[in-house]
Amino acid sequence: MDLEKAEVEIPAVSYKMLQDEVGYIVIYQFTAVVPEQFQKACQLLTEQGIKRLIVDLRDNPGGLLTSVCDTLNSFMPKGLLVYTEDRNGNRTEHFSEGKTPLDIPLVVLVNQNSASSAEIFAGAVKDYGVGTLVGTTTYGKGIVQKTFGLNDGSVVKLTVSSYYTPNGINIHGTGIEPDVEVEQPEDATEDLQLEKALELICKE
């Protein structure tokens, strides 16, 4: 069998139009392609006439810090998005340029499996008050880890810093509480969290 060697780009974002001119975007994980795919989804939904937006981060395990910051930069107001701080107090800050702030109502769906970069996204939205968080408390992973190669070929992963939301909150071990808490029972036949998001956003 002849096989062609090529780069395969796995979609990390999906989108669709819901009722009442509500755009719905799911971000599965913050990989390197997310900022571009997210902006494209927003553009295509805008062309379809959305007046409200729901972003679904449920079960998103996180990913690249640069990916979530670039994604937030595409719609957040100008200001601090997140900062990291190491054991010596050295601080690294990441900002939004605020060139294209979102001007429509926003709801962000989160659950207990929304972690790391997904929590950075949710934390920035909550701290700036640009959207409403709906769902359950997030996972609570507020640390940055790096891998270091050893001479024998093995690697060790070490925690090198902690990250903080714009208001200086470290959510490690506690998570981010949603503005509106909605449980999603495993045996539920309907998406109760999405239904609540639609109910709330259509009132705005």
Side-chain angles (χ1 to χ4, degrees), residues 4-63:
E4 178 183 353
K5 183 179 179 181
E7 290 187 4
V8 178
E9 183 176 298
I10 300 174
V13 175
S14 66
Y15 66 93
K16 62 182 176 181
M17 195 76 157
L18 301 179
Q19 64 192 54
D20 300 315
E21 299 171 307
V22 177
Y24 176 67
I25 298 177
V26 182
I27 303 177
Y28 299 103
Q29 186 171 0
F30 282 99
T31 62
V33 300
V34 166
E36 181 180 351
Q37 291 184 4
F38 180 82
Q39 291 177 44
K40 184 177 180 180
C42 288
Q43 178 185 345
L44 293 174
L45 287 171
T46 299
E47 292 173 357
Q48 295 179 49
I50 64 165
K51 294 183 179 179
R52 306 166 185 84
L53 178 63
I54 295 174
V55 176
D56 194 341
L57 300 180
R58 291 176 296 178
D59 301 318
N60 182 322

Tab-separated table of all heavy atoms in Angstrom, residues 4-63:
chain	number	residue	atom	x	y	z
A	4	GLU	N	0.891	8.510	1.418
A	4	GLU	CA	1.473	9.839	1.223
A	4	GLU	C	1.750	10.472	2.574
A	4	GLU	O	0.871	10.511	3.445
A	4	GLU	CB	0.514	10.726	0.431
A	4	GLU	CG	1.044	12.145	0.222
A	4	GLU	CD	0.054	13.033	-0.513
A	4	GLU	OE1	-0.989	12.505	-0.967
A	4	GLU	OE2	0.315	14.242	-0.625
A	5	LYS	N	2.957	10.951	2.766
A	5	LYS	CA	3.327	11.618	4.007
A	5	LYS	C	2.926	13.090	3.906
A	5	LYS	O	3.324	13.790	2.986
A	5	LYS	CB	4.834	11.502	4.245
A	5	LYS	CG	5.295	12.112	5.568
A	5	LYS	CD	6.791	11.939	5.730
A	5	LYS	CE	7.284	12.551	7.027
A	5	LYS	NZ	8.755	12.417	7.199
A	6	ALA	N	2.102	13.531	4.856
A	6	ALA	CA	1.640	14.915	4.816
A	6	ALA	C	1.238	15.360	6.220
A	6	ALA	O	0.995	14.539	7.107
A	6	ALA	CB	0.438	15.054	3.870
A	7	GLU	N	1.187	16.672	6.419
A	7	GLU	CA	0.737	17.216	7.687
A	7	GLU	C	-0.784	17.124	7.758
A	7	GLU	O	-1.477	17.434	6.792
A	7	GLU	CB	1.163	18.676	7.831
A	7	GLU	CG	2.662	18.856	8.013
A	7	GLU	CD	3.038	20.295	8.318
A	7	GLU	OE1	2.107	21.130	8.462
A	7	GLU	OE2	4.227	20.593	8.414
A	8	VAL	N	-1.277	16.677	8.897
A	8	VAL	CA	-2.716	16.564	9.103
A	8	VAL	C	-3.127	17.539	10.204
A	8	VAL	O	-2.609	17.474	11.322
A	8	VAL	CB	-3.124	15.132	9.509
A	8	VAL	CG1	-4.627	15.061	9.770
A	8	VAL	CG2	-2.720	14.142	8.415
A	9	GLU	N	-4.019	18.445	9.886
A	9	GLU	CA	-4.496	19.424	10.865
A	9	GLU	C	-5.825	18.953	11.432
A	9	GLU	O	-6.828	18.881	10.726
A	9	GLU	CB	-4.652	20.796	10.209
A	9	GLU	CG	-5.080	21.874	11.188
A	9	GLU	CD	-5.148	23.248	10.544
A	9	GLU	OE1	-4.108	23.733	10.073
A	9	GLU	OE2	-6.257	23.817	10.503
A	10	ILE	N	-5.823	18.614	12.702
A	10	ILE	CA	-7.039	18.136	13.349
A	10	ILE	C	-7.852	19.335	13.822
A	10	ILE	O	-7.340	20.186	14.555
A	10	ILE	CB	-6.705	17.224	14.540
A	10	ILE	CG1	-5.890	16.012	14.069
A	10	ILE	CG2	-7.970	16.772	15.251
A	10	ILE	CD1	-5.404	15.132	15.183
A	11	PRO	N	-9.101	19.438	13.421
A	11	PRO	CA	-9.931	20.568	13.873
A	11	PRO	C	-10.042	20.595	15.394
A	11	PRO	O	-10.325	19.581	16.024
A	11	PRO	CB	-11.287	20.292	13.215
A	11	PRO	CG	-10.982	19.397	12.056
A	11	PRO	CD	-9.822	18.557	12.496
A	12	ALA	N	-9.765	21.749	15.966
A	12	ALA	CA	-9.871	21.912	17.410
A	12	ALA	C	-11.072	22.774	17.775
A	12	ALA	O	-11.362	22.967	18.953
A	12	ALA	CB	-8.590	22.547	17.958
A	13	VAL	N	-11.764	23.275	16.747
A	13	VAL	CA	-12.901	24.170	16.945
A	13	VAL	C	-14.034	23.739	16.022
A	13	VAL	O	-13.799	23.390	14.868
A	13	VAL	CB	-12.517	25.638	16.629
A	13	VAL	CG1	-13.740	26.546	16.714
A	13	VAL	CG2	-11.429	26.122	17.573
A	14	SER	N	-15.248	23.750	16.539
A	14	SER	CA	-16.419	23.539	15.690
A	14	SER	C	-17.424	24.642	15.990
A	14	SER	O	-17.375	25.266	17.056
A	14	SER	CB	-17.039	22.156	15.914
A	14	SER	OG	-17.584	22.050	17.212
A	15	TYR	N	-18.337	24.872	15.062
A	15	TYR	CA	-19.289	25.969	15.270
A	15	TYR	C	-20.577	25.686	14.504
A	15	TYR	O	-20.611	24.902	13.555
A	15	TYR	CB	-18.688	27.298	14.797
A	15	TYR	CG	-18.443	27.361	13.306
A	15	TYR	CD1	-19.401	27.895	12.442
A	15	TYR	CD2	-17.264	26.866	12.756
A	15	TYR	CE1	-19.183	27.932	11.077
A	15	TYR	CE2	-17.045	26.902	11.396
A	15	TYR	CZ	-18.006	27.441	10.564
A	15	TYR	OH	-17.801	27.468	9.204
A	16	LYS	N	-21.646	26.343	14.937
A	16	LYS	CA	-22.921	26.266	14.236
A	16	LYS	C	-23.832	27.384	14.721
A	16	LYS	O	-23.569	28.030	15.734
A	16	LYS	CB	-23.597	24.910	14.457
A	16	LYS	CG	-23.961	24.595	15.891
A	16	LYS	CD	-24.591	23.193	15.986
A	16	LYS	CE	-24.889	22.801	17.422
A	16	LYS	NZ	-25.486	21.439	17.512
A	17	MET	N	-24.892	27.593	13.972
A	17	MET	CA	-25.878	28.603	14.319
A	17	MET	C	-27.014	27.936	15.084
A	17	MET	O	-27.533	26.898	14.662
A	17	MET	CB	-26.412	29.245	13.040
A	17	MET	CG	-27.170	30.532	13.265
A	17	MET	SD	-26.045	31.882	13.618
A	17	MET	CE	-27.082	33.261	13.143
A	18	LEU	N	-27.389	28.511	16.224
A	18	LEU	CA	-28.507	28.004	16.995
A	18	LEU	C	-29.710	28.930	16.823
A	18	LEU	O	-29.696	29.824	15.989
A	18	LEU	CB	-28.122	27.899	18.477
A	18	LEU	CG	-26.930	26.993	18.812
A	18	LEU	CD1	-26.661	26.999	20.309
A	18	LEU	CD2	-27.171	25.564	18.329
A	19	GLN	N	-30.720	28.719	17.624
A	19	GLN	CA	-31.937	29.528	17.538
A	19	GLN	C	-31.675	30.974	17.936
A	19	GLN	O	-30.688	31.290	18.608
A	19	GLN	CB	-32.993	28.952	18.478
A	19	GLN	CG	-32.564	29.029	19.948
A	19	GLN	CD	-33.437	28.214	20.869
A	19	GLN	OE1	-33.618	27.024	20.649
A	19	GLN	NE2	-33.975	28.851	21.908
A	20	ASP	N	-32.570	31.857	17.519
A	20	ASP	CA	-32.551	33.264	17.929
A	20	ASP	C	-31.213	33.952	17.646
A	20	ASP	O	-30.741	34.747	18.467
A	20	ASP	CB	-32.901	33.393	19.418
A	20	ASP	CG	-34.290	32.846	19.731
A	20	ASP	OD1	-35.220	33.156	18.975
A	20	ASP	OD2	-34.421	32.105	20.720
A	21	GLU	N	-30.620	33.609	16.526
A	21	GLU	CA	-29.372	34.256	16.076
A	21	GLU	C	-28.240	34.111	17.101
A	21	GLU	O	-27.464	35.022	17.335
A	21	GLU	CB	-29.628	35.734	15.772
A	21	GLU	CG	-30.649	35.933	14.658
A	21	GLU	CD	-31.075	37.374	14.491
A	21	GLU	OE1	-31.491	37.978	15.498
A	21	GLU	OE2	-30.997	37.886	13.362
A	22	VAL	N	-28.172	32.922	17.700
A	22	VAL	CA	-27.108	32.612	18.665
A	22	VAL	C	-26.037	31.773	17.972
A	22	VAL	O	-26.319	30.704	17.439
A	22	VAL	CB	-27.667	31.835	19.882
A	22	VAL	CG1	-26.526	31.465	20.833
A	22	VAL	CG2	-28.714	32.669	20.598
A	23	GLY	N	-24.815	32.264	17.989
A	23	GLY	CA	-23.696	31.486	17.481
A	23	GLY	C	-23.164	30.582	18.573
A	23	GLY	O	-23.140	30.959	19.754
A	24	TYR	N	-22.730	29.377	18.191
A	24	TYR	CA	-22.256	28.380	19.161
A	24	TYR	C	-20.905	27.854	18.691
A	24	TYR	O	-20.790	27.282	17.599
A	24	TYR	CB	-23.279	27.250	19.270
A	24	TYR	CG	-22.890	26.097	20.162
A	24	TYR	CD1	-22.774	26.251	21.539
A	24	TYR	CD2	-22.661	24.827	19.626
A	24	TYR	CE1	-22.448	25.174	22.357
A	24	TYR	CE2	-22.342	23.743	20.431
A	24	TYR	CZ	-22.236	23.927	21.801
A	24	TYR	OH	-21.909	22.868	22.606
A	25	ILE	N	-19.876	28.066	19.515
A	25	ILE	CA	-18.519	27.626	19.179
A	25	ILE	C	-18.002	26.697	20.273
A	25	ILE	O	-18.054	27.032	21.455
A	25	ILE	CB	-17.559	28.822	19.035
A	25	ILE	CG1	-17.998	29.741	17.894
A	25	ILE	CG2	-16.128	28.335	18.789
A	25	ILE	CD1	-17.135	30.978	17.739
A	26	VAL	N	-17.501	25.532	19.867
A	26	VAL	CA	-16.891	24.583	20.802
A	26	VAL	C	-15.379	24.589	20.588
A	26	VAL	O	-14.908	24.459	19.450
A	26	VAL	CB	-17.426	23.148	20.585
A	26	VAL	CG1	-16.805	22.205	21.615
A	26	VAL	CG2	-18.941	23.112	20.684
A	27	ILE	N	-14.625	24.758	21.658
A	27	ILE	CA	-13.161	24.643	21.603
A	27	ILE	C	-12.796	23.380	22.370
A	27	ILE	O	-13.003	23.289	23.580
A	27	ILE	CB	-12.460	25.862	22.220
A	27	ILE	CG1	-12.907	27.147	21.508
A	27	ILE	CG2	-10.932	25.705	22.116
A	27	ILE	CD1	-12.313	28.411	22.111
A	28	TYR	N	-12.266	22.383	21.661
A	28	TYR	CA	-12.000	21.079	22.270
A	28	TYR	C	-10.709	21.055	23.077
A	28	TYR	O	-10.617	20.381	24.092
A	28	TYR	CB	-11.954	20.004	21.183
A	28	TYR	CG	-13.252	19.888	20.428
A	28	TYR	CD1	-13.395	20.422	19.145
A	28	TYR	CD2	-14.363	19.258	20.993
A	28	TYR	CE1	-14.587	20.337	18.443
A	28	TYR	CE2	-15.564	19.157	20.307
A	28	TYR	CZ	-15.672	19.699	19.037
A	28	TYR	OH	-16.854	19.622	18.360
A	29	GLN	N	-9.699	21.779	22.605
A	29	GLN	CA	-8.411	21.854	23.297
A	29	GLN	C	-7.632	23.015	22.690
A	29	GLN	O	-7.773	23.309	21.504
A	29	GLN	CB	-7.631	20.551	23.152
A	29	GLN	CG	-6.348	20.510	23.976
A	29	GLN	CD	-5.701	19.132	23.985
A	29	GLN	OE1	-6.218	18.198	23.377
A	29	GLN	NE2	-4.593	18.988	24.678
A	30	PHE	N	-6.826	23.682	23.514
A	30	PHE	CA	-6.112	24.859	23.025
A	30	PHE	C	-4.788	24.456	22.368
A	30	PHE	O	-3.717	24.587	22.951
A	30	PHE	CB	-5.901	25.861	24.151
A	30	PHE	CG	-7.146	26.647	24.462
A	30	PHE	CD1	-7.956	26.286	25.525
A	30	PHE	CD2	-7.529	27.712	23.665
A	30	PHE	CE1	-9.113	26.987	25.801
A	30	PHE	CE2	-8.689	28.423	23.928
A	30	PHE	CZ	-9.492	28.064	24.997
A	31	THR	N	-4.893	23.983	21.142
A	31	THR	CA	-3.724	23.663	20.328
A	31	THR	C	-3.310	24.907	19.548
A	31	THR	O	-3.973	25.946	19.599
A	31	THR	CB	-4.035	22.519	19.358
A	31	THR	OG1	-5.093	22.950	18.475
A	31	THR	CG2	-4.501	21.269	20.111
A	32	ALA	N	-2.236	24.789	18.786
A	32	ALA	CA	-1.690	25.939	18.070
A	32	ALA	C	-2.638	26.490	17.008
A	32	ALA	O	-2.560	27.669	16.636
A	32	ALA	CB	-0.356	25.558	17.432
A	33	VAL	N	-3.559	25.654	16.515
A	33	VAL	CA	-4.432	26.092	15.426
A	33	VAL	C	-5.694	26.800	15.922
A	33	VAL	O	-6.457	27.348	15.119
A	33	VAL	CB	-4.848	24.900	14.538
A	33	VAL	CG1	-3.623	24.247	13.920
A	33	VAL	CG2	-5.656	23.878	15.335
A	34	VAL	N	-5.936	26.796	17.226
A	34	VAL	CA	-7.192	27.326	17.750
A	34	VAL	C	-7.417	28.814	17.452
A	34	VAL	O	-8.514	29.189	17.031
A	34	VAL	CB	-7.311	27.055	19.266
A	34	VAL	CG1	-8.433	27.881	19.899
A	34	VAL	CG2	-7.585	25.579	19.491
A	35	PRO	N	-6.441	29.711	17.667
A	35	PRO	CA	-6.712	31.130	17.404
A	35	PRO	C	-7.230	31.383	15.995
A	35	PRO	O	-8.220	32.110	15.812
A	35	PRO	CB	-5.352	31.791	17.635
A	35	PRO	CG	-4.675	30.908	18.618
A	35	PRO	CD	-5.084	29.510	18.233
A	36	GLU	N	-6.597	30.779	15.009
A	36	GLU	CA	-7.031	30.974	13.627
A	36	GLU	C	-8.402	30.359	13.391
A	36	GLU	O	-9.278	30.980	12.768
A	36	GLU	CB	-6.010	30.360	12.661
A	36	GLU	CG	-6.386	30.538	11.192
A	36	GLU	CD	-5.366	29.917	10.255
A	36	GLU	OE1	-4.293	29.492	10.729
A	36	GLU	OE2	-5.645	29.858	9.044
A	37	GLN	N	-8.621	29.143	13.893
A	37	GLN	CA	-9.913	28.485	13.697
A	37	GLN	C	-11.034	29.209	14.442
A	37	GLN	O	-12.158	29.300	13.944
A	37	GLN	CB	-9.829	27.020	14.141
A	37	GLN	CG	-8.955	26.162	13.254
A	37	GLN	CD	-8.957	24.687	13.662
A	37	GLN	OE1	-9.672	24.288	14.575
A	37	GLN	NE2	-8.157	23.890	12.982
A	38	PHE	N	-10.737	29.735	15.612
A	38	PHE	CA	-11.740	30.476	16.380
A	38	PHE	C	-12.129	31.760	15.650
A	38	PHE	O	-13.324	32.080	15.532
A	38	PHE	CB	-11.198	30.801	17.767
A	38	PHE	CG	-12.154	31.566	18.642
A	38	PHE	CD1	-13.157	30.910	19.332
A	38	PHE	CD2	-12.045	32.946	18.774
A	38	PHE	CE1	-14.047	31.614	20.141
A	38	PHE	CE2	-12.929	33.657	19.566
A	38	PHE	CZ	-13.938	32.985	20.264
A	39	GLN	N	-11.150	32.492	15.169
A	39	GLN	CA	-11.443	33.735	14.456
A	39	GLN	C	-12.230	33.465	13.172
A	39	GLN	O	-13.131	34.227	12.820
A	39	GLN	CB	-10.139	34.471	14.141
A	39	GLN	CG	-9.459	35.033	15.383
A	39	GLN	CD	-8.133	35.699	15.070
A	39	GLN	OE1	-8.014	36.447	14.100
A	39	GLN	NE2	-7.123	35.432	15.876
A	40	LYS	N	-11.896	32.384	12.484
A	40	LYS	CA	-12.631	32.029	11.276
A	40	LYS	C	-14.074	31.681	11.600
A	40	LYS	O	-15.004	32.082	10.895
A	40	LYS	CB	-11.952	30.848	10.570
A	40	LYS	CG	-12.614	30.474	9.246
A	40	LYS	CD	-11.865	29.349	8.555
A	40	LYS	CE	-12.522	28.979	7.227
A	40	LYS	NZ	-11.797	27.865	6.545
A	41	ALA	N	-14.277	30.925	12.697
A	41	ALA	CA	-15.631	30.571	13.119
A	41	ALA	C	-16.432	31.821	13.449
A	41	ALA	O	-17.602	31.958	13.055
A	41	ALA	CB	-15.567	29.639	14.324
A	42	CYS	N	-15.820	32.757	14.167
A	42	CYS	CA	-16.497	34.014	14.507
A	42	CYS	C	-16.866	34.796	13.256
A	42	CYS	O	-17.971	35.347	13.147
A	42	CYS	CB	-15.610	34.861	15.409
A	42	CYS	SG	-15.442	34.249	17.104
A	43	GLN	N	-15.948	34.827	12.301
A	43	GLN	CA	-16.202	35.555	11.055
A	43	GLN	C	-17.368	34.954	10.290
A	43	GLN	O	-18.270	35.670	9.829
A	43	GLN	CB	-14.950	35.551	10.185
A	43	GLN	CG	-15.136	36.250	8.841
A	43	GLN	CD	-13.914	36.135	7.951
A	43	GLN	OE1	-12.834	35.772	8.419
A	43	GLN	NE2	-14.067	36.427	6.674
A	44	LEU	N	-17.369	33.631	10.162
A	44	LEU	CA	-18.437	32.972	9.402
A	44	LEU	C	-19.789	33.101	10.105
A	44	LEU	O	-20.822	33.287	9.452
A	44	LEU	CB	-18.080	31.500	9.188
A	44	LEU	CG	-16.873	31.250	8.282
A	44	LEU	CD1	-16.510	29.778	8.255
A	44	LEU	CD2	-17.147	31.743	6.859
A	45	LEU	N	-19.788	33.035	11.428
A	45	LEU	CA	-21.033	33.200	12.173
A	45	LEU	C	-21.529	34.641	12.071
A	45	LEU	O	-22.738	34.886	11.979
A	45	LEU	CB	-20.832	32.810	13.633
A	45	LEU	CG	-20.698	31.312	13.912
A	45	LEU	CD1	-20.272	31.076	15.356
A	45	LEU	CD2	-22.006	30.575	13.620
A	46	THR	N	-20.605	35.582	12.076
A	46	THR	CA	-20.979	36.990	11.926
A	46	THR	C	-21.634	37.232	10.575
A	46	THR	O	-22.628	37.969	10.467
A	46	THR	CB	-19.746	37.892	12.087
A	46	THR	OG1	-19.191	37.711	13.400
A	46	THR	CG2	-20.114	39.365	11.897
A	47	GLU	N	-21.102	36.583	9.556
A	47	GLU	CA	-21.688	36.714	8.212
A	47	GLU	C	-23.099	36.138	8.161
A	47	GLU	O	-23.908	36.537	7.326
A	47	GLU	CB	-20.790	36.017	7.191
A	47	GLU	CG	-19.446	36.711	6.994
A	47	GLU	CD	-18.498	35.915	6.111
A	47	GLU	OE1	-18.880	34.782	5.693
A	47	GLU	OE2	-17.380	36.394	5.854
A	48	GLN	N	-23.383	35.181	9.085
A	48	GLN	CA	-24.720	34.602	9.155
A	48	GLN	C	-25.659	35.425	10.036
A	48	GLN	O	-26.824	35.091	10.187
A	48	GLN	CB	-24.644	33.167	9.681
A	48	GLN	CG	-23.900	32.209	8.752
A	48	GLN	CD	-23.821	30.809	9.333
A	48	GLN	OE1	-24.830	30.260	9.782
A	48	GLN	NE2	-22.635	30.227	9.334
A	49	GLY	N	-25.113	36.471	10.652
A	49	GLY	CA	-25.963	37.389	11.401
A	49	GLY	C	-26.147	37.106	12.874
A	49	GLY	O	-27.189	37.441	13.445
A	50	ILE	N	-25.136	36.530	13.541
A	50	ILE	CA	-25.306	36.261	14.970
A	50	ILE	C	-25.401	37.569	15.756
A	50	ILE	O	-24.775	38.572	15.423
A	50	ILE	CB	-24.162	35.397	15.553
A	50	ILE	CG1	-22.812	36.131	15.491
A	50	ILE	CG2	-24.098	34.061	14.896
A	50	ILE	CD1	-21.759	35.500	16.359
A	51	LYS	N	-26.209	37.515	16.814
A	51	LYS	CA	-26.339	38.650	17.716
A	51	LYS	C	-25.966	38.269	19.147
A	51	LYS	O	-25.952	39.115	20.037
A	51	LYS	CB	-27.770	39.181	17.688
A	51	LYS	CG	-28.151	39.789	16.342
A	51	LYS	CD	-29.550	40.382	16.374
A	51	LYS	CE	-29.892	41.011	15.022
A	51	LYS	NZ	-31.278	41.578	15.004
A	52	ARG	N	-25.661	36.993	19.353
A	52	ARG	CA	-25.262	36.478	20.663
A	52	ARG	C	-24.294	35.325	20.429
A	52	ARG	O	-24.350	34.674	19.390
A	52	ARG	CB	-26.481	35.980	21.457
A	52	ARG	CG	-27.594	37.003	21.606
A	52	ARG	CD	-28.878	36.358	22.096
A	52	ARG	NE	-29.983	37.300	22.143
A	52	ARG	CZ	-30.757	37.614	21.107
A	52	ARG	NH1	-30.556	37.030	19.927
A	52	ARG	NH2	-31.740	38.483	21.236
A	53	LEU	N	-23.419	35.046	21.420
A	53	LEU	CA	-22.412	33.998	21.234
A	53	LEU	C	-22.281	33.136	22.479
A	53	LEU	O	-22.187	33.646	23.596
A	53	LEU	CB	-21.054	34.624	20.903
A	53	LEU	CG	-19.881	33.656	20.714
A	53	LEU	CD1	-20.118	32.728	19.529
A	53	LEU	CD2	-18.572	34.428	20.529
A	54	ILE	N	-22.268	31.819	22.273
A	54	ILE	CA	-21.973	30.852	23.330
A	54	ILE	C	-20.680	30.138	22.969
A	54	ILE	O	-20.542	29.616	21.856
A	54	ILE	CB	-23.109	29.817	23.483
A	54	ILE	CG1	-24.399	30.498	23.950
A	54	ILE	CG2	-22.706	28.724	24.481
A	54	ILE	CD1	-25.595	29.563	23.985
A	55	VAL	N	-19.723	30.123	23.887
A	55	VAL	CA	-18.464	29.392	23.703
A	55	VAL	C	-18.451	28.236	24.689
A	55	VAL	O	-18.594	28.433	25.899
A	55	VAL	CB	-17.235	30.296	23.920
A	55	VAL	CG1	-15.947	29.478	23.805
A	55	VAL	CG2	-17.221	31.441	22.912
A	56	ASP	N	-18.283	27.028	24.183
A	56	ASP	CA	-18.344	25.811	24.997
A	56	ASP	C	-16.936	25.301	25.296
A	56	ASP	O	-16.218	24.870	24.387
A	56	ASP	CB	-19.150	24.747	24.251
A	56	ASP	CG	-19.560	23.582	25.145
A	56	ASP	OD1	-18.944	23.407	26.206
A	56	ASP	OD2	-20.496	22.853	24.762
A	57	LEU	N	-16.560	25.354	26.570
A	57	LEU	CA	-15.245	24.861	27.010
A	57	LEU	C	-15.373	23.621	27.886
A	57	LEU	O	-14.415	23.217	28.543
A	57	LEU	CB	-14.507	25.958	27.802
A	57	LEU	CG	-14.204	27.266	27.083
A	57	LEU	CD1	-13.478	28.216	28.024
A	57	LEU	CD2	-13.378	27.027	25.827
A	58	ARG	N	-16.529	22.999	27.880
A	58	ARG	CA	-16.725	21.801	28.702
A	58	ARG	C	-15.825	20.665	28.210
A	58	ARG	O	-15.681	20.452	27.011
A	58	ARG	CB	-18.188	21.376	28.666
A	58	ARG	CG	-19.116	22.349	29.394
A	58	ARG	CD	-20.560	21.945	29.260
A	58	ARG	NE	-21.031	22.001	27.879
A	58	ARG	CZ	-22.261	21.656	27.491
A	58	ARG	NH1	-23.125	21.217	28.384
A	58	ARG	NH2	-22.605	21.746	26.220
A	59	ASP	N	-15.190	19.990	29.155
A	59	ASP	CA	-14.278	18.870	28.865
A	59	ASP	C	-13.040	19.293	28.083
A	59	ASP	O	-12.352	18.451	27.500
A	59	ASP	CB	-15.014	17.742	28.127
A	59	ASP	CG	-16.191	17.211	28.925
A	59	ASP	OD1	-16.043	17.041	30.147
A	59	ASP	OD2	-17.261	16.973	28.330
A	60	ASN	N	-12.751	20.586	28.071
A	60	ASN	CA	-11.531	21.083	27.432
A	60	ASN	C	-10.396	20.977	28.444
A	60	ASN	O	-10.410	21.665	29.465
A	60	ASN	CB	-11.738	22.536	26.991
A	60	ASN	CG	-10.535	23.126	26.267
A	60	ASN	OD1	-9.396	22.865	26.625
A	60	ASN	ND2	-10.796	23.920	25.258
A	61	PRO	N	-9.376	20.122	28.186
A	61	PRO	CA	-8.323	19.892	29.174
A	61	PRO	C	-7.257	20.981	29.207
A	61	PRO	O	-6.331	20.906	30.013
A	61	PRO	CB	-7.721	18.561	28.715
A	61	PRO	CG	-7.879	18.607	27.224
A	61	PRO	CD	-9.200	19.284	26.985
A	62	GLY	N	-7.362	21.967	28.340
A	62	GLY	CA	-6.370	23.039	28.318
A	62	GLY	C	-5.498	22.982	27.087
A	62	GLY	O	-5.979	22.729	25.988
A	63	GLY	N	-4.202	23.233	27.276
A	63	GLY	CA	-3.290	23.234	26.136
A	63	GLY	C	-2.265	24.344	26.245
A	63	GLY	O	-1.776	24.654	27.345
